């Protein structure tokens, strides 16, 4: 190795350490011992000590990392962040009202404010001259943990109060209290993405929100869809409000996000409003675990005082529990579009909060074994808001002894082919490319722009083709006739011709594109390009071994095994033959414009950072390659040019540091002309 050349090992180490950080801090599920982890860090530190010029700001060594629980600075709150007493029904609320009426006669006939009680994580936010300066979790009510950097990543938290001109004066100091949580639709979206990537899904919005805020890595927090609503002012130099309602309006006038609140003229109205919210709980966009009823008159509220940590002036009217037990009749398995198998519970139908629940999520197969959930068990099921109900766990005490541990299926429930599980990953996959459950998704990927680029074949048409059984695998696309297409709704002469034309053109796409189009797990555009240039033909790949593949930079054992398995699978082999018979011959002839373009970039390497105005990443890659250049992923001294787009990443600074030439998209086009 040339001394100035950065070894691949450094990237490998960083990638591996990040992965283990994630397992440890995010999933709470490490798969290596602390000693093994330390060994990786020591190795990385050693290389970086010898070559400080290789240190990047995002290297795991650059974080002053301590375990998260002790990793935050403690922060004392300017006033005690109190808790709330509970009531569980209307009678409980009336009893509270009677109690405080006896303490102060002003309570009789007083008015209230009612709010949904958000089930998230309480935070205390400090604003200095209207600018968010720092923030903490509630902690024990007196001292919390400072999580300023993480709070800054929450998009609904204004970094500067966006007060309308003249509406209110911005206080010099302002400390507000609010709740950090996740909207249900964002939580579901997050879980959908996790499942698609074969990762563990999160159990509920509250724990996910709380866990996300207490991350040492703010980038992780930023990647979670957290939201904020405020409801109280803890301290301010302009304490002039007489009522809670005025105080909430003031928060609104400052432009802070404020919880939905309702003014109620007396206790009956407050109870009515609360019961209404209880009925509506499933229509709320977030998880709430009750309502808060607060006395509106702040002077009266203060004079009522505090019992323990609960102010007497407010009460939490808790929603009835949404957890019930029922029988787990069986475990069903869905096959997702990427081939991920997902288990779900088939339940003895049961009513939870006014809705009959027959199915619930079991997250993934690891979850089932960790919780030892067995078919036939009595299980605890929770339904919260619109979140899909989930199985919390079995009620072990009532087992009959007949229940047997559940084992994941060996065959795909849809196509009956063997399923695969990779050590260390959560997901189980069906790897049969012709599995009907995956077909539409496979075709969609096959024809996409970065792959075979068949113009005019959108998802709707793909679905039509699959529904009409004209296409049972991707190769069938090359056997479609005009008559076939004309049978489909919405197809006339011209549309059919155009589609057949672009299918025809795709036959001459490069081997790299074909490999990427086949959707072999772990083989994206970069890997496919590498495989194509190393092996040159499908025939060679059919005979490839894991060892051959491990020789290639960027291919680790998991991908190597996935590639070998894919090419050894008889169904996939038949598919390749069928593609070839259908006329797909990737090595036969390069795409025409590549052949005629002058190779002005020969021998030069490019790195792109940020978004380019006129190119997608794929188009930039093709542009560079069609002129004979190479596009790589990271900047080194060998990089010829950094192409700078909008919102560039750390590569920009690195290129500046190393003195790499920096150009924009126009500069790139100019170079080529
Ligand atoms: S008012 C003096 N309003 O729930 C009363 N609290 O279990 C101040 N909470 O510690 C609290 N949503 O942090 C209020 N809309 C809401 C709330 C809310 C959530 C939290 C609060 C409290 C906890 C009590």
């Amino acid at each position: 190795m040339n001394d100035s050349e950065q070894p691949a090992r450094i990237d490998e180490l960083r990638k591996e350490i990040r992965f283990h950080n994630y397992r440890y801090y995010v999933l709470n599920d490490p798969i290596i011992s602390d000693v093994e982890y330390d060994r990786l860090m020591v190795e990385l530190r050693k290389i970086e000590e010898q070559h400080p010029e290789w240190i990047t700001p995002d290297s795991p060594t650059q974080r002053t990392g301590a375990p998260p629980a002790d990793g935050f600075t403690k922060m004392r709150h300017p006033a005690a962040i109190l808790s709330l007493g509970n009531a569980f029904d209307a009678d409980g609320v009336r009893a509270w009202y009677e109690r405080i009426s006896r303490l102060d006669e002003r309570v009789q006939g007083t008015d209230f404010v009612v709010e949904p009680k958000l089930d998230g994580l309480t935070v205390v936010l400090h604003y200095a001259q209207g600018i968010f300066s720092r923030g903490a979790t509630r902690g024990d009510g007196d001292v919390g943990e400072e999580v300023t950097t993480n709070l800054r990543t929450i998009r609904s938290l204004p970094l500067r109060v966006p007060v309308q001109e003249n509406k209110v004066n911005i206080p010099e100091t302002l400390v507000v209290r609010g709740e950090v949580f996740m909207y249900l639709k964002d939580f579901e979206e997050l879980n959908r993405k996790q499942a698609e990537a074969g990762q563990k899904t999160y159990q509920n919005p509250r724990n996910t929100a709380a866990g996300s805020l207490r991350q040492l890595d703010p980038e992780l927090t930023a990647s979670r869809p957290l939201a904020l609503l405020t409801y109280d002012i803890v301290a301010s130099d302009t304490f002039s409000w007489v009522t809670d309602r005025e105080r909430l309006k003031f928060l609104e006038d400052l432009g802070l996000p404020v919880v939905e609140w309702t003014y109620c003229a007396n206790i009956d109205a407050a109870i009515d409003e609360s019961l209404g919210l209880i009925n509506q709980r499933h229509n709320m966009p977030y998880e709430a675990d009750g309502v808060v009823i607060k006395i509106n008159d702040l002077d009266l509220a203060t004079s009522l005082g505090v019992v323990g940590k609960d102010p007497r002036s407010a009460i939490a009217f808790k929603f009835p529990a949404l957890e019930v037990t029922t029988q787990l009749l069986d475990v069903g398995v869905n096959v997702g579009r990427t081939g991920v198998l997902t288990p779900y519970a088939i339940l003895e139908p049961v009513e939870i909060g006014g809705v009959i629940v027959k199915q619930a999520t079991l997250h993934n197969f690891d979850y089932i074994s960790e919780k030892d959930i067995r078919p036939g068990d009595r299980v605890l099921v929770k339904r919260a808001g619109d979140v899909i109900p989930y199985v919390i766990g079995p009620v072990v005490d009532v087992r009959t002894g007949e229940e047997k541990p559940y084992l994941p299926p060996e065959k795909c429930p849809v196509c009956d082919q063997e399923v695969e599980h990779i050590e260390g990953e959560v997901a189980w996959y069906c790897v049969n490319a012709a599995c009907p459950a995956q077909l539409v998704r496979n075709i969609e990927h096959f024809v996409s722009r970065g792959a075979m680029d068949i113009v005019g074949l959108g998802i709707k048409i793909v679905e039509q083709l699959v529904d009409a059984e004209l296409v049972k695998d991707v190769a069938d696309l090359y056997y479609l006739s005009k008559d076939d297409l004309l049978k489909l709704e919405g197809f006339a002469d011209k549309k059919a011709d155009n589609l057949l034309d672009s299918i025809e053109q795709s036959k001459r796409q490069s081997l790299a594109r074909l490999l990427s189009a086949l959707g072999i797990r772990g083989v994206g555009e970069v890997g496919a390009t590498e495989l194509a240039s190393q092996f040159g033909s499908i025939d060679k790949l059919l005979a490839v071994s894991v060892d051959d593949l491990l020789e290639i930079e960027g291919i680790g054992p998991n991908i190597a095994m996935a590639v070998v398995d894919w090419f050894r699978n008889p169904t996939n082999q038949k598919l390749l033959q069928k593609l070839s018979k259908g006329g797909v011959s990737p090595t036969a002839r390069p795409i025409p414009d590549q052949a005629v373009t002058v190779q002005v970039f020969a021998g030069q390497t490019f790195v792109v950072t940020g978004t380019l105005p006129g190119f997608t990443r794929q188009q930039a890659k093709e542009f560079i390659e069609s002129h004979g250049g190479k596009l790589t992923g990271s900047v080194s001294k060998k990089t010829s040019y950094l192409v700078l787009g909008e919102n560039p990443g750390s590569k920009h600074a690195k290129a500046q540091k190393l003195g790499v030439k920096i150009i924009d998209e126009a500069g790139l086009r100019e170079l080529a002309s």
Side-chain angles (χ1 to χ4, degrees), residues 480-500:
L480 288 171
S481 69
K482 191 165 170 182
D483 281 348
D484 287 338
L485 294 181
L486 289 176
K487 276 185 229 150
L488 301 178
E489 204 187 304
F491 267 89
D493 235 32
K494 188 149 171 32
K495 190 167 168 184
D497 282 340
N498 285 348
L499 181 53
L500 289 174

Side-chain angles (χ1 to χ4, degrees), residues 93-307:
V93 176
R94 283 190 198 285
W96 160 72
Y97 179 74
E98 297 305 330
R99 257 191 333 266
I100 56 174
S101 298
R102 284 195 292 274
L103 289 175
D104 193 320
E105 60 186 19
R106 286 178 293 167
V107 171
Q108 287 289 337
T110 197
D111 51 2
F112 297 86
V113 168
V114 172
E115 300 160 0
K117 182 167 160 343
L118 300 162
D119 199 8
L121 190 72
T122 303
V123 289
V124 179
L125 311 170
H126 292 240
Y127 283 86
Q129 276 105 35
I131 293 175
F132 175 60
S133 56
R134 54 202 193 115
T137 60
R138 176 174 182 268
D140 63 4
D142 295 318
V143 177
E145 287 175 322
E146 177 170 358
V147 284
T148 309
T149 322
N150 291 346
L151 285 165
R152 282 179 184 283
T153 70
I154 300 176
R155 277 171 285 267
S156 52
L157 185 155
L159 296 179
R160 172 194 289 271
V161 290
V163 61
Q164 306 280 312
E165 202 90 48
N166 297 332
K167 210 161 185 187
V168 281
N169 290 327
I170 298 176
E172 287 282 309
T173 60
L174 172 75
V175 183
V176 301
R177 173 173 174 181
E179 207 80 357
V180 168
F181 64 98
M182 252 182 223
Y183 282 102
L184 294 173
K185 69 170 183 357
D186 293 337
F187 174 73
E188 276 169 9
E189 173 72 13
L190 179 69
N191 262 351
R192 202 182 53 69
K193 283 194 193 144
Q194 287 290 112
E196 255 178 31
Q199 302 281 0
K200 262 189 194 175
T201 48
Y202 300 102
Q203 284 179 30
N204 62 61
R206 202 213 94 87
N207 291 353
T208 315
S212 304
L213 194 61
R214 299 184 67 255
Q215 283 298 324
L216 272 193
D217 180 356
E219 259 180 51
L220 252 167
T221 313
S223 72
R224 307 274 175 76
L226 296 176
L228 167 83
L229 286 172
T230 62
Y231 47 74
D232 194 12
I233 296 177
V234 180
S236 163
D237 58 322
T238 50
F239 236 117
S240 59
W241 314 282
V242 174
T243 63
D244 193 34
R245 177 158 65 153
E246 280 170 26
R247 193 164 61 179
L248 288 161
K249 277 195 183 138
F250 180 77
L251 284 173
E252 286 171 351
D253 286 345
L254 283 173
L256 289 167
V258 178
V259 72
E260 223 173 284
W261 53 274
T262 310
Y263 171 79
C264 300
N266 54 49
I267 190 69
D268 290 330
I271 290 174
D272 265 6
E273 174 64 24
S274 304
L275 293 173
L277 284 172
I278 290 173
N279 269 332
Q280 286 299 310
R281 67 185 294 189
H282 294 305
N283 297 327
M284 288 185 186
Y286 37 64
E287 238 181 41
D289 59 343
V291 288
V292 181
I293 304 177
K294 299 188 271 186
I295 286 190
N296 187 34
D297 177 341
L298 294 179
D299 183 44
L300 172 58
T302 314
S303 71
L304 279 167
V306 173
V307 241

